[in-house]
Amino acid sequence: MRRGCTETGRGPRWAGVLAAAVLVSSFGVTASVAAGGEPPPPTRMPSDPGSESAAGAGPRAGAPAGSVAAAAPVEAMARLAAVGASVTHGFYAQLLVEAGGRMQPANLDLADALAAVLGGDGQVEAAGSVMFFRDPDRWGPELLRQAEASRPTSVVAVDFLFWYGYGSTGHRPGTDADAAARRERLERGLALLADLERRIPGHLLVGDLPDMSGAVGRMLSAGQVPDQATRRSLNARIAAWVDERPSAILVPLSGTMQRLLAGERFGVPEAVPLLKPDRLHPTADGLVVVAREIVSRLVSVRGPSAAPEAAADHEVAIGRLRARLAARIEAAAQKDAPAGAG
């Protein structure tokens, strides 16, 4: 089962709104929001062990037998929720699927990709927003409330902290004032995750902050991007925070983004794009790669029993994803059909 991203809808009727309103990502944002105010309220990446925050990413020895981390692996993944910004939302990624006797595009989000990679019949839902950048202190708590409505046993928060480290502070990046403001904001995001972590019986997968300085002048303004020293210090804090919590797992997003931007294929054929033309947002196949990396990180820390039906092969995962999306389209068509039709 799955909850939809209702803030922007999931169909062609939003194409004009996107062009006129907002181009946003957890990796970057074009600050062009159409006049007329906020969209409706919100609804509905992974990693290289050698990345900068990997020092805190490994399994922690000595977790007490009765701790959250000792929960049965399969039960811990029975109900999974993804919460965060544009990667979690999916940023209008689409995949062509055969449904209702014809090929048609289907929107997807990170929950869909995770469900396809994980396999099985576990519940996977998402609470993601492309508007997270506008006010993390508003959207963060709201999205967590939505994620918790499904009573998840585990949570993926891979891009949840992005806008607690990025975004404008009113100070020039590289200054002590800017660094202090970013550290303070990050602590607010971590405090929200700490509250969540105490309320779930399974895993909390947390992403660090990728280097998006290459997007300055294209998707980000210079004032929104922390300088490298500050970003590294924020990632060190995230890694230390994760290391203090037996149920938390660090997913080094910084490493994954570096590899994607460098053109690594992750076993996907060269002809298949993994990033959209802006080089920032994942395509449908890119979201599956992201999900594969998240699940791979989970398995590397918790062992294969944490995801016994996980698809290591990209085409297997894409096949599962097409079937999931087609079933959704057909279920919606059946629901909308006039009484007595068919």
Side-chain angles (χ1 to χ4, degrees), residues 77-104:
M77 298 297 287
R79 293 187 306 278
L80 181 64
V83 60
S86 296
V87 168
T88 300
H89 175 274
F91 201 70
Y92 316 103
Q94 290 188 329
L95 191 66
L96 276 176
V97 301
E98 185 174 358
R102 60 189 178 90
M103 300 299 294
Q104 50 186 305

Side-chain angles (χ1 to χ4, degrees), residues 111-268:
D112 294 315
L114 283 167
V117 172
L118 285 165
D121 56 2
Q123 173 179 310
V124 188
E125 301 189 1
S129 174
V130 298
M131 302 305 291
F132 209 134
F133 78 103
R134 296 191 68 174
D135 187 354
D137 290 325
R138 171 201 166 191
W139 291 88
E142 170 63 23
L143 291 168
L144 286 175
R145 282 192 292 272
Q146 291 185 24
E148 287 195 84
S150 64
R151 300 177 62 240
T153 51
S154 291
V155 172
V156 174
V158 178
D159 62 337
F160 181 84
L161 293 174
F162 185 88
W163 290 109
Y164 289 99
Y166 277 69
S168 299
T169 66
H171 305 286
R172 184 167 57 85
T175 63
D176 290 345
D178 181 77
R182 294 184 191 281
R183 287 194 297 268
E184 181 181 349
R185 191 159 61 195
L186 178 65
E187 291 302 323
R188 297 200 296 271
L190 290 173
L192 291 172
L193 291 181
D195 288 341
L196 170 69
E197 188 249 355
R198 288 190 286 268
R199 293 194 294 270
I200 60 174
H203 317 297
L204 174 61
L205 292 95
V206 181
D208 66 357
L209 307 177
D211 177 9
M212 296 313 302
S213 57
V216 171
R218 179 173 57 174
M219 296 288 287
L220 291 168
S221 68
Q224 291 176 303
V225 180
D227 66 283
Q228 295 293 353
T230 298
R231 186 181 62 84
R232 285 192 291 268
S233 73
L234 297 177
N235 278 344
R237 171 62 182 133
I238 294 169
W241 184 93
V242 167
D243 203 47
E244 295 167 356
R245 291 163 171 79
S247 67
I249 299 171
L250 182 66
V251 181
L253 181 56
S254 56
T256 296
M257 272 308 300
Q258 183 178 14
R259 292 158 63 195
L260 279 169
L261 291 169
E264 184 169 335
R265 300 303 305 165
F266 294 86
V268 181

Side-chain angles (χ1 to χ4, degrees), residues 13-49:
R13 67 191 179 90
W14 281 96
V17 175
L18 284 179
V22 57
L23 182 60
V24 146
S25 151
S26 56
F27 308 133
V29 53
T30 297
S32 60
V33 179
E38 301 265 343
T43 61
R44 295 251 296 160
M45 233 170 106
S47 306
D48 182 3

